[in-house]
Amino acid sequence: MLSDIYKTYNWTLAELHAFCLICECQNLSQAALRMGVSQSAISLMVQRWRQALGDPLFVRARYGVAPTQIAIALREKLQPLLEEVGIALTQTQGFNPAQSTRVFKVHMTDIGQLVFLPGLNDFVAKHAPGIRLVIKNLGWEALESGLSSGEIDLAIGSLPMIKGRVHSRVFRHERYVTAMRKAHPLAKTELNLDAFVAADHLAIDATSSGHSLVENALRALDMRRNISLTIPHYLAAEQILVSSNYLLTVPNIAVLSFQNPTALCIVPTPLALPSFDVRVHWHERSRQDQGVQWLRTTISDLFGHHR
């Protein structure tokens, strides 16, 4: 398809960038603003593209425009190529984070955003103020293709399902713990399995929480815990935990990242739950990318600890 496009229309690099930007923003005014050109200039580009390709490419939507299927397919092919060109041009003098205006796209789960994002954002704002971070939370099945296509530059987490030409580096080793408020009746004694099962539990039904792991471990013992409240993410977990007699079983790093973990009693979970590695992942195609190298080293240095 790309060869057909080049036969029918002589696209400039700026136009290719504008096309992908419109697909991302889905708004001509915003794309024009980010390109530093007038909206009429963008509109004229779109008209020329439509004539050349014989497709509307963008149709009116409530708050802007929506790309057609042909535009979506074209952007998927163009975006990684444009990123490679951008990297090649910016790295002629080496990657300088203090001067770079690059956009990095990073996959983090909800727990990753809770634990790592504030510190990473603060570091980037201080040491690389021109760099922009775009955080995504892709489905597990989309991670490998996301790294391969350039939809994301890095993926952070415990992601053993990622295969293919993907490299990774361990920067944390984690275990599961059980947390409760300090005034909880069970906080005064060693937590055993019978007391754990008999207690009321708060559960976070998210892939990053280990909820299903706990349920499977109990089921293997022919045991069942009483889950009084299930929530989909960590947003309200701390507030609920400190004002109730619930137990919460999650990775240790999640509890330590709460606003006031000292208000909690954090103990080993009385279940044989596996520990796990937290890794930063990148694709083979970006192995020599100095920007990605800088970002993954930054993440490891900021958050890494090895036990």
Side-chain angles (χ1 to χ4, degrees):
M1 182 174 179
L2 283 176
S3 59
D4 293 336
I5 290 171
Y6 286 122
K7 289 176 184 177
T8 57
Y9 184 75
N10 185 22
W11 293 65
T12 67
L13 188 60
E15 284 182 305
L16 294 175
H17 178 59
F19 172 82
C20 291
L21 202 54
I22 297 170
C23 289
E24 177 187 340
C25 298
Q26 299 193 18
N27 185 290
L28 297 185
S29 298
Q30 290 181 19
L33 186 63
R34 288 176 59 178
M35 286 283 293
V37 299
S38 66
Q39 183 174 339
S40 60
I42 290 288
S43 298
L44 287 172
M45 287 184 194
V46 173
Q47 291 177 23
R48 293 197 296 268
W49 303 338
R50 286 171 173 169
Q51 293 172 1
L53 273 67
D55 185 87
L57 294 177
F58 304 99
V59 296
R60 291 184 182 274
R62 185 173 181 182
Y63 297 109
V65 295
T68 65
Q69 287 302 312
I70 286 180
I72 292 171
L74 180 57
R75 190 221 178 188
E76 288 178 354
K77 293 179 179 293
L78 287 175
Q79 189 67 47
L81 298 176
L82 288 174
E83 290 175 358
E84 293 292 337
V85 170
I87 292 168
L89 293 174
T90 57
Q91 290 193 171
T92 55
Q93 301 298 321
F95 178 77
N96 185 341
Q99 297 179 355
S100 176
T101 58
R102 186 166 169 185
V103 176
F104 287 106
K105 294 158 290 184
V106 183
H107 162 86
M108 295 184 191
T109 61
D110 55 347
I111 188 173
Q113 294 173 44
L114 175 72
V115 173
F116 305 122
L117 186 53
L120 179 60
N121 184 64
D122 288 347
F123 181 89
V124 170
K126 182 177 180 180
H127 298 281
I131 284 176
R132 185 161 67 95
L133 296 174
V134 175
I135 305 302
K136 301 192 175 190
N137 189 352
L138 304 183
W140 284 8
E141 70 285 350
L143 285 172
E144 185 179 333
S145 62
L147 288 166
S148 175
S149 68
E151 182 180 359
I152 52 175
D153 298 299
L154 294 174
I156 298 174
S158 176
L159 307 169
M161 77 295 297
I162 300 182
K163 307 296 183 184
R165 298 171 60 195
V166 176
H167 302 271
S168 67
R169 176 180 176 183
V170 176
F171 66 92
R172 288 192 73 91
H173 188 68
E174 282 297 318
R175 59 189 175 89
Y176 287 91
V177 297
T178 297
M180 66 194 88
R181 67 188 182 99
K182 282 194 170 178
H184 194 293
L186 293 177
K188 301 176 180 135
T189 60
E190 183 177 348
L191 183 64
N192 59 43
L193 185 55
D194 289 337
F196 177 86
V197 171
D200 293 327
H201 291 257
L202 167 64
I204 301 175
D205 191 9
T207 53
S208 60
S209 69
H211 167 65
S212 59
L213 190 69
V214 176
E215 294 304 292
N216 290 339
L218 288 171
R219 195 175 298 115
L221 298 172
D222 198 24
M223 303 179 83
R224 183 177 179 181
R225 60 176 174 164
N226 178 38
I227 299 176
S228 300
L229 177 63
T230 301
I231 55 179
H233 45 64
Y234 286 84
L235 184 63
E238 181 178 6
Q239 186 175 353
I240 293 170
L241 199 60
V242 297
S243 60
S244 69
N245 277 336
Y246 296 151
L247 303 184
L248 175 65
T249 300
V250 289
N252 184 52
I253 192 172
V255 181
L256 294 180
S257 67
F258 284 168
Q259 188 173 0
N260 186 20
T262 58
L264 301 171
C265 176
I266 304 171
V267 300
T269 302
L271 266 176
L273 299 176
S275 59
F276 61 93
D277 291 329
V278 182
R279 298 172 176 263
V280 56
H281 302 75
W282 64 95
H283 195 266
E284 168 68 24
R285 68 179 183 81
S286 62
R287 186 169 58 89
Q288 300 298 327
D289 184 332
Q290 295 177 21
V292 172
Q293 290 175 1
W294 169 81
L295 185 58
R296 70 184 192 234
T297 299
T298 295
I299 290 168
S300 294
D301 290 346
L302 283 175
F303 309 111
H305 88 128
H306 308 276
R307 292 194 293 258

